[in-house]
Amino acid sequence: MSTALHPSLDRLTWILENLPAKLAVIPEEQWSFKSSPEKWSRKEILGHLIDSAANNHQRFVRIQFECTPTIRYQQNDWNYYSYHQLQETKLLIDTWKQYNLFLKGILQHLPASALNREGIGGEGVPFTLDYIVEDYVNHMEHHLRQIVEY
C-alpha cells in the first residue's frame, strides 16, 4: 500500500520519527503519576498503545486471509495484566516505537485489494481494513497527545 493510498502512513512515519525524542525527555515522576486510581498514568497510556499495536497487528494480518475475523480485547485488563505501571519507561518507549516500525512495514505492503476486507471489532461492528488502519493512527495520536504536546 503506498502512502498515496493511505495518508495514515505519512502520519505514522512522522510520529515515529519525531515523538520518541519528545517522550524520552519527560521526567520519570511524570511518567508514573496518576491523577486518580481510575486514571492511567503516562506509562499506562503508552502501554495501552503497545496493547493496541498487538491487537491491531492481528487485525492487519488476519483480515487479509480470514473470513471476517472477530478481534476484540479488554483494554483495562490488558493494561493491568501487562503491568505497564511497573515497567521501565525506556522499555515502554522503545517497545512502542519498534512495534510500530514493524506494523508500518506490514502496512506498506498491504495490497490495495485487501483494504475493503472486513473484520469485527470490540463493539461487534464490522470494519474494513482501510478503516482500521486510519482508526489505529487516529487512536494513537489521541493518546500521544495525553502524554506530550506536539
Side-chain angles (χ1 to χ4, degrees):
M1 173 172 55
S2 72
T3 54
L5 281 175
H6 223 290
S8 298
L9 285 176
D10 289 334
R11 292 180 13 243
L12 181 59
T13 298
W14 187 91
I15 288 167
L16 295 174
E17 289 174 354
N18 292 280
L19 270 284
K22 290 182 177 292
L23 296 173
V25 297
I26 296 172
E28 185 60 36
E29 62 273 5
Q30 289 182 19
W31 277 104
S32 297
F33 175 76
K34 293 173 70 101
S35 62
S36 72
E38 306 83 39
K39 298 286 184 181
W40 286 345
S41 67
R42 283 180 170 87
K43 278 185 169 186
E44 290 169 317
I45 293 169
L46 192 59
H48 169 65
L49 292 177
I50 295 167
D51 298 341
S52 175
N55 282 275
N56 280 286
H57 180 184
Q58 286 196 57
R59 291 176 175 147
F60 300 154
V61 172
R62 291 175 55 194
I63 288 172
Q64 293 182 74
F65 67 91
E66 289 183 25
C67 183
T68 320
T70 298
I71 305 163
R72 300 176 178 162
Y73 77 106
Q74 302 296 329
Q75 66 181 15
N76 289 323
D77 290 336
W78 270 71
N79 201 301
Y80 181 82
Y81 291 105
S82 293
Y83 308 104
H84 297 307
Q85 184 71 358
L86 304 175
Q87 300 287 349
E88 292 180 26
T89 302
K90 183 179 181 332
L91 177 63
L92 292 171
I93 294 169
D94 291 346
T95 301
W96 168 78
K97 178 182 177 182
Q98 293 304 316
Y99 206 154
N100 279 284
L101 286 169
F102 177 74
L103 292 179
K104 180 183 165 200
I106 291 172
L107 298 177
Q108 288 174 321
H109 296 354
L110 288 176
S113 60
L115 295 177
N116 290 322
R117 292 186 56 88
E118 290 188 344
I120 306 291
E123 296 80 33
V125 177
F127 56 79
T128 63
L129 183 53
D130 184 57
Y131 170 83
I132 205 66
V133 170
E134 179 73 19
D135 185 64
Y136 177 71
V137 178
N138 287 341
H139 173 260
M140 179 187 299
E141 288 178 314
H142 165 76
H143 285 300
L144 286 170
R145 286 189 175 102
Q146 293 175 322
I147 298 173
V148 66
E149 290 184 26
Y150 68 96

